[in-house]
Amino acid sequence: VHLDLAAAERALVADPALTHVGVVHQETSSGMLNEVAAVARISHGFGCQDIVDAVSTIGAERLSLAGDGLDWLAARARKIREVMRASPREGLCVPAGRLPPGG
């Protein structure tokens, strides 16, 4: 099932108290990539920040905090050991504007 951007927008209209919008970059069972840049544009239009779950895609699919207008990117070390050389218990949550050099 493709991500329903209109439904996301309706949810933000219905609840002005929302401050963040979460989205999975890739639906693991189907392999479908969600339009995270579009979600970011919608969430920003309502004054919200977006949080992108990139567990399945970090290091494997194109994704850019700055280029896609994303606020937060989260992943788990199990999927990014070669990128970060982290233990299985560690995770990663990167806020835009605070990337390490080269990030």
Side-chain angles (χ1 to χ4, degrees), residues 30-79:
S30 70
M32 184 178 357
L33 292 175
N34 285 317
E35 301 171 57
V36 295
V39 172
R41 283 191 300 278
I42 291 168
S43 64
H44 294 162
F46 288 87
C48 295
Q49 290 191 349
D50 53 83
I51 304 168
V52 177
D53 173 347
V55 167
S56 298
T57 57
I58 194 160
E61 296 286 345
R62 190 206 75 71
L63 188 63
S64 169
L65 281 167
D68 292 323
L70 308 177
D71 297 309
W72 294 89
L73 180 72
R76 288 254 343 240
R78 188 179 97 220
K79 300 280 187 168

